[in-house]
Amino acid sequence: MDGESGMFTVQQTVGTVLCCKCGILIAPNAANMCVKCLRSEVDITETLQKHVIIIHCPECDRYLQPPRTWIKAQLESKELLTFCAKRVKNLNKVRLVHAEFIWTEPHSKRLKVKLKVQKEVLNGAVIEQACMVEYVVQDQMCESCSRVQANPDQWVAAVQLRQHVSHRRTFFYLEQLILKHDAAIRAIRIKQMDHGIDFFFANRNHAVKFVEFIQKVVPIKSRHDKQLVSHDTKSNNYNYKYTFSVEICPICREDLVCLPPKLAANLGSLGPLVICTKISNSITLLDPLTLRHCFLDAEQYWRASFTPLLSSKQLVEYVVLDVDPISSEVNVGGSKYMMADAQVARVSDFGKNDTMFFVRTHLGHLLNAGDYALGYDLNAANNNDMEIDKYKSLVIPEVILVKKSYEERRQKNRGKPRSWWLKSIKKEVDVSETRGKGDEEKMIDEYEQFLRDIEENPDLRFNISLYRNKEYQPSEMASVTDGEDAPSVPLEELLDDLRISAEDVVDDDGDEGMKE
């Protein structure tokens, strides 16, 4: 159109100038130099420290941030990269653009970091250059680790965690909560005892904080004491050792409890035979015959403490012959239940007698004819609970069903690995209190039962970190038997055990050049 209208247009071109050093044509810039000549004239990395010594504690795997701070960082992690960058002197005089690790042998005690920096030079021209900083890792134990190595018993505060029951399932669950929240990260030593675990700390405040955490997750009562170790009469300094005795309530999930008459009256004539359905900082009790429930906090429990009438080790397996629902499904305390009348028989009685039991159960939403269930056989149980004798006109049911059993379905998966795994705390074992091979087999069985409880109960795994087993390969027949298989943990609930590599740090195209 410009040609048709007779107008003359000038084509715009980019001007070029000669480099003042080598004379080649370049685009105009503030220094009027090409990139090579500018780099030969100015080295912006000259003032940066190229060799740095960092102190590493081999016991606790921490690095010293001068003057006295020790930080936790894994090899080639973002935390370690930030720590290394901060140790370079004069880095504040340039602008850091990119940083990444250069691979070195893990045993070489050397770390290499590639830094890309920018700086304004010669009349406002901005140049970008890369340099490599080498870090020499020197092993030196921190103050707390050296004190432990010199004398392992040199602790200041100890927390003795105990529960007087015949199994360790509560401690397995508590261990996972401690790991998830890093509650025992300050412990210098952890020792497994017969009825609990001992935690040793180098500071009294760390022990107090740990006891406060335990108090938030399970109902406990605690007392503390102190013992004089040494004192200086001239400076009036006293050194004490502090001991915290923490007792967890003996009531566990799935236990059958007979409430004391006074407590049952205070709870609105609940029970008195109730099932413990959940343990947190309070105890959740459910009446399986009426679906009434209540919550007992630690203070209420220890004011009128009681022990379980029957525990989960005394559960008997029953086969369900018939189920007749008598109410609709209701939500009680966040869990679903349905009242039903059921006809059951002991699995151990099959082929021996025709004994059957007619029971009322709260598991009507789960049980069908042909299923298996675990319950308490009150008809044949031998108990010496004094509370139940205080009820003169109490009609005791023959059977109280507690949960559905998947034992028969689990036989198909026996010996196969799970798709998930749990972390564990490194503990010392008190050899004087172990009973050899029998005690070890008992603990393995209890841990397997704990893993099954996690698979069956979504509420139980809500506060637990489950990690994906990368070596697990699902069976080809899994899709065929999904509807009849035992409960398992969904893949979407599993976590990856992340290990951050150098590729996760900021990406860069690797080009170097000059910018205006």
Side-chain angles (χ1 to χ4, degrees):
M1 287 186 66
D2 292 341
E4 293 175 3
S5 60
M7 294 181 64
F8 176 74
T9 57
V10 180
Q11 252 185 352
Q12 290 188 358
T13 57
V14 179
T16 57
V17 296
L18 295 177
C19 173
C20 65
K21 288 288 184 181
C22 61
I24 67 171
L25 288 174
I26 60 171
N29 59 64
N32 286 332
M33 286 189 195
C34 64
V35 176
K36 291 184 179 179
C37 293
L38 191 56
R39 285 185 185 151
S40 65
E41 289 290 322
V42 181
D43 182 12
I44 62 174
T45 65
E46 183 180 8
T47 59
L48 297 181
Q49 187 180 7
K50 303 298 193 306
H51 297 276
V52 183
I53 297 176
I54 57 177
I55 307 299
H56 171 253
C57 177
E59 293 294 324
C60 59
D61 198 22
R62 294 188 295 174
Y63 294 87
L64 176 62
Q65 177 74 52
R68 296 183 62 184
T69 305
W70 292 84
I71 63 171
K72 186 83 171 177
Q74 299 294 329
L75 278 177
E76 298 195 357
S77 64
K78 292 182 180 180
E79 292 81 7
L80 184 58
L81 187 61
T82 304
F83 167 76
C84 291
K86 288 181 178 180
R87 294 301 311 277
V88 179
K89 290 183 179 178
N90 300 323
L91 190 62
N92 57 346
K93 296 181 179 180
V94 295
R95 179 173 175 263
L96 180 63
V97 178
H98 177 68
E100 63 180 6
F101 281 107
I102 299 175
W103 187 85
T104 55
E105 290 285 348
H107 61 274
S108 65
K109 298 296 181 182
R110 298 289 188 277
L111 296 175
K112 293 182 179 180
V113 177
K114 181 181 178 182
L115 301 176
K116 284 189 179 181
V117 295
Q118 288 180 352
K119 189 178 181 182
E120 185 178 325
V121 295
L122 297 180
N123 302 323
V126 178
I127 187 172
E128 179 179 297
Q129 288 183 344
C131 68
M132 187 193 71
V133 181
E134 184 180 22
Y135 298 84
V136 179
V137 181
Q138 290 186 356
D139 285 341
Q140 176 183 325
M141 284 194 294
C142 61
E143 184 180 352
S144 60
C145 291
S146 60
R147 188 165 55 243
V148 172
Q149 288 292 327
N151 184 3
D153 291 329
Q154 197 170 0
W155 48 269
V156 175
V159 178
Q160 299 174 343
L161 200 57
R162 297 290 185 270
Q163 186 185 34
H164 300 291
V165 292
S166 59
H167 57 82
R168 299 186 65 88
R169 286 161 58 188
T170 303
F171 288 102
F172 293 144
Y173 177 65
L174 200 56
E175 181 179 357
Q176 298 305 315
L177 294 179
I178 292 171
L179 282 170
K180 183 172 182 178
H181 298 279
D182 287 334
I185 194 171
R186 298 288 188 180
I188 60 176
R189 187 173 158 219
I190 301 175
K191 189 174 183 181
Q192 180 176 305
M193 308 299 287
D194 188 25
H195 286 284
I197 306 176
D198 287 351
F199 296 84
F200 299 91
F201 298 89
N203 192 314
R204 180 182 179 274
N205 292 336
H206 298 160
V208 172
K209 188 176 180 180
F210 180 73
V211 173
E212 290 175 352
F213 169 79
I214 298 296
Q215 192 172 12
K216 292 177 182 177
V217 294
V218 288
I220 63 169
K221 70 174 180 180
S222 63
R223 59 181 297 269
H224 63 276
D225 205 349
K226 62 181 181 180
Q227 180 182 4
L228 180 64
V229 178
S230 63
H231 73 282
D232 187 350
T233 55
K234 295 182 179 179
S235 60
N236 203 27
N237 289 333
Y238 293 82
N239 294 325
Y240 292 98
K241 277 192 174 183
Y242 301 90
T243 303
F244 295 83
S245 177
V246 180
E247 182 182 351
I248 304 174
C249 82
I251 305 299
C252 300
R253 202 171 56 86
E254 299 173 358
D255 283 355
L256 181 66
V257 174
C258 180
L259 296 175
K262 187 176 179 180
L263 179 61
N266 292 337
L267 296 175
S269 299
L270 180 72
L273 293 178
V274 293
I275 298 173
C276 177
T277 58
K278 185 179 179 180
I279 292 287
S280 57
N281 56 350
S282 61
I283 305 171
T284 305
L285 301 175
L286 174 72
D287 187 344
L289 304 181
T290 61
L291 291 187
R292 293 178 60 199
H293 72 287
C294 72
F295 301 95
L296 288 180
D297 59 21
E299 184 181 354
Q300 288 175 310
Y301 172 77
W302 293 111
R303 194 185 304 141
S305 60
F306 49 87
T307 56
L309 181 67
L310 295 172
S311 66
S312 57
K313 281 184 168 291
Q314 297 166 283
L315 287 171
V316 178
E317 190 172 18
Y318 293 86
V319 61
V320 180
L321 304 177
D322 189 23
V323 177
D324 183 18
I326 60 175
S327 72
S328 58
E329 191 173 289
V330 294
N331 194 316
V332 179
S335 301
K336 294 180 179 180
Y337 300 105
M338 179 191 290
M339 292 299 298
D341 289 330
Q343 184 179 1
V344 298
R346 283 189 291 256
V347 173
S348 58
D349 287 347
F350 266 40
K352 297 180 181 178
N353 56 57
D354 297 330
T355 305
M356 292 183 294
F357 302 96
F358 294 90
V359 299
R360 177 158 292 185
T361 178
H362 60 293
L363 304 176
H365 63 300
L366 294 176
L367 298 180
N368 295 304
D371 287 343
Y372 291 86
L374 293 174
Y376 292 111
D377 187 359
L378 298 178
N379 189 40
N382 183 16
N383 64 79
N384 53 0
D385 195 300
M386 305 233 359
E387 302 298 339
I388 201 169
D389 296 333
K390 296 178 182 178
Y391 294 93
K392 303 300 182 183
S393 59
L394 177 63
V395 179
I396 301 176
E398 294 180 313
V399 175
I400 293 181
L401 298 181
V402 175
K403 64 177 181 178
K404 188 175 180 178
S405 174
Y406 301 93
E407 185 63 32
E408 185 181 12
R409 299 178 186 179
R410 291 188 190 277
Q411 298 296 332
K412 304 174 185 177
N413 300 328
R414 186 174 294 275
K416 296 181 182 178
R418 287 181 167 87
S419 61
W420 52 277
W421 60 281
L422 296 173
K423 290 184 177 181
S424 59
I425 297 176
K426 293 181 180 178
K427 301 183 289 290
E428 300 177 12
V429 180
D430 189 2
V431 183
S432 63
E433 297 195 12
T434 56
R435 298 181 179 85
K437 188 176 179 181
D439 191 65
E440 185 178 349
E441 291 177 354
K442 176 187 174 185
M443 186 171 295
I444 292 174
D445 292 341
E446 290 174 354
Y447 189 71
E448 175 63 26
Q449 185 59 48
F450 171 67
L451 298 181
R452 293 181 180 182
D453 289 343
I454 292 176
E455 292 175 333
E456 296 175 11
N457 194 341
D459 293 335
L460 192 62
R461 57 177 181 262
F462 179 76
N463 295 321
I464 293 179
S465 296
L466 305 177
Y467 295 92
R468 184 179 284 107
N469 184 4
K470 295 181 180 179
E471 300 178 357
Y472 172 77
Q473 294 181 350
S475 172
E476 296 178 0
M477 298 298 294
S479 59
V480 180
T481 60
D482 268 351
E484 302 177 358
D485 209 355
S488 60
V489 180
L491 289 177
E492 57 268 17
E493 293 186 20
L494 303 181
L495 303 173
D496 284 321
D497 192 13
L498 295 178
R499 291 178 174 83
I500 302 174
S501 61
E503 298 174 358
D504 298 321
V505 191
V506 184
D507 242 349
D508 191 70
D509 55 4
D511 295 331
E512 298 178 1
M514 182 179 62
K515 302 178 182 179
E516 282 190 57

